[in-house]
């Protein structure tokens, strides 16, 4: 199977299957023509042509236009066309821009192809027997990737929380890591991918963190997202990533980046340079609201 | 000045100022039209048009064609058109390929726009006062970047040595690091850049290594390349990279990669994602002869 298989799976998309979505004449996402067709029912909110979708937002502020779009989505949910809201909102930002132009429930962000940002924590322990990683197994009742393996802590960056706040929140909720320990997590880079999902186009940028944990620390899930945790030798984690689909799709990329930075995947690997390139495709600037 | 300034400086080139150089109908490099004009004097060895240069190598093996090209370069050196040979050879490899098609003195590789590979070692010490980096100052008699700051050990990967052999060789020659210690260097990634130089086009891929050194280790230069070594707090190194041109140009990129991986440059830096992208542009596969 190999490492590149996962990077390719996360980047499996056909750009020609989408049309641009624009706000204030700036491209902020991509929409499936079929979904664009549904939006024609609200001509006062969306201008839909065969070539593009634009939000009609002359004079409307961020909160007002976000409420209008949420109203449309609620009607589509009521019609059974869309699934449920997640409850957290993502901000749509123009390509290359840093200011929020629209807030939208994160479950609906792929409908408009809006970029998501997340934070993933590699939790590891230096033991006498070598480096070990804490790995979680997602609860069986999760909407996404039930029962699959996951990073120790990981989550999307919702609008309204900074990088520092959200990291502490995710560390506590998913793994019971107290804030004092969470603040020791070191930012070590980021990976980006662009994926076709059932809901739509999902461009995703994940900030990666390494968190070295004391041997006596044992994670405990606070919010029901994880059913169990394992402390595995990094070699075992590497084999699982390389030869299985046990991990939630994007967690593979975060672990591959970890394995490269810690020398477990070395330049003698045929895919080494190709992996480095593929994990770091063109990336957006970080929106200001995360600072 | 900022970090991105250095990445941009290493990627400052105008692709339209070069024409392709091909061997066995495969693109392997780029040549300045003026240099291509000089090669017209050897029509039995080079086919030169206004659009491209091709090596005439029907039936000739690697050693034979390399000797023919070296003969041309020796005549151009004798005419005073080119500087001296370096004494080590690089291998020209087809774009996307992994087999050597031509061996050429490394000082002349940019004349043909042939990709170079190198290895750079970040030598660091964990002290009670935080992380410190060993930095070298290049001897004043060096041909390239005399008197400038440098990584603890660094060097080009010549044809005929593997990654492991060359790393040990550079560690010993430049910093007196014994092989046993050099083998503890951890591969942590690679950076790539494409630069216009006086000699020609220089695509360069540098494999980066982190080497944690014991506090009692003191580097000592064996080959005259370095005049002195400093053990500086990483914050001081970061300031020098950010606000000066004290470092040899490509060493800035290796240190920026180090600063990102160790959390000294974090996601709150406006250039964070742009730096990650710019350090990892499209990369070639590693030629087989380095394994």
């Amino acid at each position: 199977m190999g490492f590149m298989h996962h990077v390719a799976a996360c980047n499996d998309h056909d750009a020609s299957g989408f049309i641009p979505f624009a706000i204030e004449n700036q491209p902020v996402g991509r929409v499936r023509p079929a979904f664009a067709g549904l939006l024609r029912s609200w001509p006062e909110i969306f201008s839909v042509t065969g070539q593009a979708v634009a939000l009609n937002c002359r004079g409307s502020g961020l909160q007002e236009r976000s409420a209008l779009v949420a109203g449309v989505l609620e009607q589509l949910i009521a019609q059974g066309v869309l699934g449920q809201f997640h409850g957290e909102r993502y901000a749509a930002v123009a390509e290359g821009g840093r200011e929020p132009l629209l807030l939208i429930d994160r479950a609906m962000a792929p409908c408009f192809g809006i970029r998501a940002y997340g934070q993933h924590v590699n939790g590891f322990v230096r033991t006498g027997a070598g480096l070990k990683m804490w790995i979680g197994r997602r609860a069986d009742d999760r909407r996404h990737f039930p029962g699959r393996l996951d990073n120790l802590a990981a989550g999307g960056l919702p609008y309204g929380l900074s990088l520092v706040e959200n990291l502490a929140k995710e560390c506590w909720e998913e793994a019971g890591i107290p804030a004092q320990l969470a603040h020791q997590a070191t930012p070590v880079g980021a990976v980006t991918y662009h994926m076709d999902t059932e809901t739509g186009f999902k461009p995703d940028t994940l900030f990666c963190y390494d968190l070295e944990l004391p041997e006596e620390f044992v994670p405990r899930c606070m919010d029901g997202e994880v059913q169990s945790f394992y402390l595995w030798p990094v070699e075992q984690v590497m084999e699982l990533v390389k030869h299985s689909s046990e991990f939630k799709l994007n967690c593979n990329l975060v672990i591959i980046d970890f394995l490269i930075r810690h020398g477990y995947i070395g330049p003698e690997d045929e895919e080494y340079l190709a992996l480095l390139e593929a994990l770091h495709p063109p990336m957006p600037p970080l929106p200001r609201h995360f600072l």
Side-chain angles (χ1 to χ4, degrees), chain A:
Chain A
M1 174 171 260
F3 299 116
M4 189 57 89
H5 169 85
H6 299 296
V7 186
C10 281
N11 284 285
D12 185 21
H13 72 271
D14 175 6
S16 72
F18 298 90
I19 59 174
F21 171 55
I23 303 177
E24 293 180 357
N25 292 319
Q26 301 168 83
V28 299
R30 304 187 201 183
V31 176
R32 286 225 177 91
F35 186 72
L38 297 175
L39 299 177
R40 285 182 191 271
S41 304
W42 293 271
E44 69 289 3
I45 301 178
F46 294 101
S47 295
V48 182
T49 69
Q51 281 72 53
V53 175
L55 187 66
N56 292 332
C57 48
R58 242 172 313 165
S60 71
L62 179 66
Q63 299 300 338
E64 189 186 343
R65 68 174 72 146
S66 300
L68 287 171
V69 171
V72 169
L73 294 173
E74 277 163 11
Q75 292 178 63
L76 289 170
I77 291 170
Q79 293 169 18
V81 173
L82 293 177
Q84 294 303 306
F85 278 158
H86 182 288
E88 286 176 351
R89 291 193 299 178
Y90 282 167
V93 171
E95 279 172 27
R98 300 185 68 196
E99 305 301 337
L101 297 176
L102 175 71
L103 304 178
I104 193 165
D105 187 90
R106 66 181 268 187
M108 306 304 163
C111 297
F112 296 91
I114 285 162
R115 180 174 297 276
Y117 294 83
Q119 292 172 297
H120 282 237
V121 179
N122 299 294
F124 67 95
V125 184
R126 288 184 208 275
T127 76
L131 211 65
K132 296 190 176 184
M133 290 185 92
W134 277 109
I135 299 296
R137 185 178 295 282
R138 297 168 63 80
D140 290 326
D141 63 357
R142 292 298 97 179
R143 198 192 304 187
H144 299 297
F145 300 97
R148 301 279 276 281
L149 299 175
D150 203 337
N151 294 114
L152 175 60
L157 257 164
Y159 181 76
L161 288 183
S162 70
L163 285 163
V164 172
E165 291 163 341
N166 191 60
L167 185 66
K169 172 180 168 287
E170 292 291 346
C171 279
W172 176 252
E173 290 178 357
E174 287 199 14
I177 300 167
Q180 199 184 348
L181 194 50
H183 289 149
Q184 291 174 25
T186 304
V188 290
V191 300
T192 286
Y193 60 88
H194 301 81
M195 187 162 55
D196 245 339
T197 70
E198 210 181 326
T199 323
F201 185 61
K202 191 170 191 297
D204 214 344
T205 294
L206 307 179
F207 294 98
C208 305
Y209 297 80
D210 280 4
L211 177 56
E212 182 171 349
L213 293 158
E215 287 208 52
E216 61 275 17
F217 174 81
V218 176
R220 147 181 96 96
C221 180
M222 301 298 188
D223 66 356
E225 183 158 341
V226 180
Q227 56 175 290
S228 47
F229 289 102
Y230 313 103
L231 183 62
W232 283 335
V234 66
E235 292 83 1
Q236 181 179 346
V237 175
M238 180 160 156
E239 284 302 302
L240 273 169
V241 169
K242 188 164 189 179
H243 298 298
S244 85
S245 299
E246 278 289 297
F247 275 92
K248 176 169 172 278
L249 212 53
N250 60 7
C251 297
N252 290 295
L253 276 53
V254 175
I255 295 173
I256 291 167
D257 177 72
F258 180 92
L259 294 170
I260 290 174
R261 288 183 294 100
H262 290 267
Y264 290 90
I265 302 176
E268 66 287 350
D269 189 301
E270 287 210 2
E271 300 178 329
Y272 193 68
L273 293 170
L275 285 169
L276 281 165
E277 175 187 342
L279 292 172
H280 305 102
M283 299 206 197
L286 182 72
R288 282 190 217 286
H289 51 269
F290 294 133
L291 296 178

